[in-house]
Amino acid sequence: MTSLPLRRALPSQQRVSARGVSDFIEAVNAADLELHSFMLYRDGAVVAEAFWAPYGAERLHVQHSATKSWVSMAVGLLVDDGALSLDAKVVDFFAADCPASISANLAAMTVRDLLTMRTGHRQGISGGAWRGRSDSWVRLFLNEPVEDPPGHRFIYSSASSFMLSAIVSVVSGQTAFELCDARIFQPMGMGPIEWDLAPGGFNTGGNGLSCRTEDLLKFGVLHLQHGNWEGQQLLSREWVAEATRGHVDDVWMGAFDGKRYLSRDESSDAAVTRREGYGYQWWMTQHGGYYASGVFGQQCIVLPRHNAVIAFTAGLALGERRLHSLLWEHLLPALDVPSEGLADAALAALLAHQQRPVMSGAASSPRQAEFNGTFAMQANEDQVSEVRLDFGPEHCDFYLTDPRGTHCIRAGLSAGIETQTSMTGHYLHHQYQPALTPVVAQARWTEDGVLSMTWQFVETAFCDRVTCRIEHGTLYVERSVNVNAGPLQRPTLTGHPTLALQESP
């Protein structure tokens, strides 16, 4: 696939205040909000873009639930073709997977109910709940109790989005990715896009899509332009208008560890946060806009009144709302404000030098020899049997052996080093566990002889912090993560040096 970049222009050329954009970036950094990328499109051109190294323009980034808006587009293509009706019954697509007794509520559920998250279920299913399961996700969905009539109460669920993807495949004979690739991605000159597969060969639908930030931005621009791309009507104006308007106005999100979403009338003592509304797998937002939203801060915000699109990727904690506040405080007022050339230059300099914080500490330690070798680990929840550390002049290789095999991450002692790793981590990474993934790792020594590492999994939201310390001959390994829908910390691993270590010089 040949990637075709969007046009670039200076903020002053597109009626954008460079000072306002600078204020936004500086406010984000001052608030210690972990952005990985940011792009702003206005009036036909990209006017600002920043990538916090080691994240970069050509890197893919997992979009999490922002994927839901992409599967909505796939549904729209089939509706435009007349091949799919939103009033079609879900059970009619999967006769072989239906339970022996189909309830009246399940029988009544339509494609439209899936799109608007009003399926009649009383509890949603998190994106991580089925990840890693090999049995049929379609059958799992159809066996969920549908306790209420569909079409009424909003219950956010990644399982509903998966079913849309499965329906796309049943109707078209293609995966959602294959359909969109031929009719959207290639005509738009998007770069490489990856989309995970679920059992049965269906794309996961509610999550699992990875793309570059510019392609996330392009996705928003296509909708800003009512489905038109350089004179080609790739997606009908009618579908875009329907998909991106509010169909569910009274949407409240319940604080159930970030996993469950409620309608306002549900009785609960959980803290709730109001959302502006929900369309066909798109969230509504202030100022007449709408956005695709993924957990930990993956978003594409379309603002038709301002002819603007904002895209960013991030590693933000669950429930973090300050980024939107800063957008409305600094970035929105920057639109329609003339900018001077000097401000353009200052902004360009600021954007070009963004990076994630580097580790402090020493590149060597008098205690290094104690760590250099193999440690047999005591019985533990993660079934880690062995940890080994090998030091070179500028790096430390950290090996971990568990039931999946032996995994290695090379951490630079003076600068971050990028490698590919199979390191197990699903329990800290929202159940994601790719066979291989890029990681940029650094290592430093503290004054008291503790080895500390950061592992930035640069195609994801996740960054692990790992510390290794030795006390009275026992190695302690602690591992935590910046963001997760579950626990942020794993149980401490403990181990002792093997005979090979004891005999080493």
Side-chain angles (χ1 to χ4, degrees):
M1 185 185 300
T2 302
S3 175
L4 300 176
L6 291 163
R7 186 171 74 87
R8 266 59 175 176
L10 297 173
S12 59
Q13 295 171 320
Q14 309 300 109
R15 298 177 297 114
V16 173
S17 166
R19 180 68 260 173
V21 179
S22 296
D23 289 345
F24 168 71
I25 297 296
E26 290 169 349
V28 164
N29 290 337
D32 198 27
L33 296 176
E34 186 182 328
L35 282 196
H36 298 164
S37 67
F38 159 78
M39 295 185 74
L40 172 62
Y41 175 96
R42 177 69 192 284
D43 283 350
V46 176
V47 297
E49 55 193 309
F51 297 88
W52 280 255
Y55 303 90
E58 295 306 313
R59 288 200 192 274
L60 302 185
H61 201 287
V62 173
Q63 297 301 311
H64 294 290
S65 285
T67 305
K68 292 175 170 65
S69 303
W70 298 69
V71 84
S72 172
M73 179 172 66
V75 171
L77 290 171
L78 298 182
V79 171
D80 289 347
D81 293 344
L84 178 63
S85 167
L86 299 190
D87 296 319
K89 300 295 192 290
V90 173
V91 294
D92 290 343
F93 297 100
F94 307 103
D97 291 304
C98 287
S101 177
I102 300 174
S103 70
N105 288 338
L106 176 58
M109 189 192 303
T110 66
V111 174
R112 193 187 313 274
D113 297 328
L114 296 174
L115 283 165
T116 58
M117 300 284 189
R118 296 182 293 185
T119 56
H121 295 106
R122 291 187 181 174
Q123 182 157 344
I125 296 173
S126 163
W130 293 348
R131 197 171 297 123
R133 293 192 62 161
S134 59
D135 45 340
S136 169
W137 293 10
V138 169
R139 197 168 296 121
L140 287 170
F141 180 92
L142 295 174
N143 278 280
E144 282 285 313
V146 186
E147 299 175 279
D148 299 313
H152 299 286
R153 185 159 52 180
F154 177 88
I155 296 291
Y156 185 84
S157 178
S158 288
S160 298
S161 306
F162 163 72
M163 291 300 287
L164 291 171
S165 175
I167 288 170
V168 166
S169 290
V170 170
V171 172
S172 70
Q174 303 173 282
T175 64
F177 170 79
E178 289 168 341
L179 178 67
C180 292
D181 185 48
R183 297 181 53 177
I184 302 290
F185 304 158
Q186 293 192 38
M188 290 181 63
M190 288 192 177
I193 293 175
E194 298 175 358
W195 201 339
D196 292 346
L197 289 175
F202 308 121
N203 287 124
T204 45
N207 46 60
L209 184 143
S210 296
C211 66
R212 303 176 312 155
T213 305
E214 182 156 353
D215 292 320
L216 178 64
L217 188 72
K218 283 184 175 183
F219 173 66
V221 172
L222 176 67
H223 286 76
L224 177 70
Q225 297 175 167
H226 313 289
N228 190 280
W229 190 261
E230 297 183 349
Q232 300 180 72
Q233 198 68 41
L234 303 181
L235 194 61
S236 74
R237 296 179 64 93
E238 294 76 16
W239 175 261
V240 172
E242 275 296 291
T244 60
R245 73 174 180 88
H247 292 270
V248 187
D249 295 328
D250 205 10
V251 176
W252 292 71
M253 180 177 75
F256 281 87
D257 199 24
K259 296 178 183 177
R260 190 177 178 202
Y261 294 74
L262 317 171
S263 63
R264 187 179 187 181
D265 61 352
E266 178 160 348
S267 59
S268 172
D269 59 359
V272 292
T273 303
R274 194 184 194 287
R275 294 287 186 102
E276 283 71 28
Y278 200 69
Y280 290 165
Q281 309 280 290
W282 287 89
W283 291 100
M284 303 300 103
T285 190
Q286 298 178 50
H287 310 290
Y290 52 90
Y291 65 111
S293 179
V295 71
F296 315 128
Q298 328 314 313
Q299 294 193 0
C300 176
I301 304 172
V302 183
L303 299 171
R305 294 176 187 172
H306 300 275
N307 202 26
V309 181
I310 303 162
F312 50 84
T313 60
L316 302 179
L318 288 173
E320 177 60 71
R321 304 294 292 171
R322 287 177 295 169
L323 184 60
H324 274 213
S325 297
L326 295 177
L327 282 170
W328 307 142
E329 180 183 354
H330 298 290
L331 207 55
L332 192 74
L335 306 179
D336 285 318
V337 177
S339 179
E340 297 181 357
L342 289 177
D344 287 346
L347 173 62
L350 173 68
L351 297 178
H353 294 94
Q354 296 301 309
Q355 67 174 19
R356 298 300 308 145
V358 297
M359 296 186 70
S360 59
S364 62
S365 169
R367 298 190 62 187
Q368 180 173 301
E370 297 177 58
F371 291 76
N372 198 68
T374 303
F375 296 79
M377 310 310 289
Q378 296 178 356
N380 57 85
E381 182 179 329
D382 296 333
Q383 301 181 65
V384 175
S385 59
E386 190 174 274
V387 164
R388 180 161 61 94
L389 292 95
D390 285 345
F391 289 88
E394 297 292 334
H395 69 268
C396 169
D397 287 339
F398 179 95
Y399 293 88
L400 179 147
T401 301
D402 63 13
R404 294 182 59 245
T406 297
H407 321 283
C408 179
I409 288 180
R410 173 165 289 189
L413 290 167
S414 57
I417 294 176
E418 179 168 348
T419 56
Q420 295 276 329
T421 188
S422 61
M423 184 66 69
T424 303
H426 59 284
Y427 34 65
L428 289 178
H429 296 171
H430 199 39
Q431 298 303 317
Y432 280 94
Q433 185 58 72
L436 279 176
T437 189
V439 60
V440 175
Q442 303 177 65
R444 294 290 189 278
W445 291 97
T446 65
E447 290 183 359
D448 53 354
V450 174
L451 180 68
S452 182
M453 291 178 281
T454 58
W455 299 345
Q456 290 180 287
F457 295 88
V458 287
E459 291 187 354
T460 77
F462 309 112
C463 180
D464 293 4
R465 179 70 176 251
V466 179
T467 61
C468 301
R469 57 188 170 86
I470 293 179
E471 296 180 0
H472 308 294
T474 300
L475 174 71
Y476 296 87
V477 180
E478 296 179 338
R479 183 177 177 185
S480 60
V481 71
N482 58 338
V483 293
N484 192 22
L488 298 176
Q489 177 89 36
R490 295 306 296 168
T492 301
L493 302 175
T494 60
H496 296 88
T498 65
L499 182 62
L501 176 65
Q502 293 170 356
E503 295 178 347
S504 64

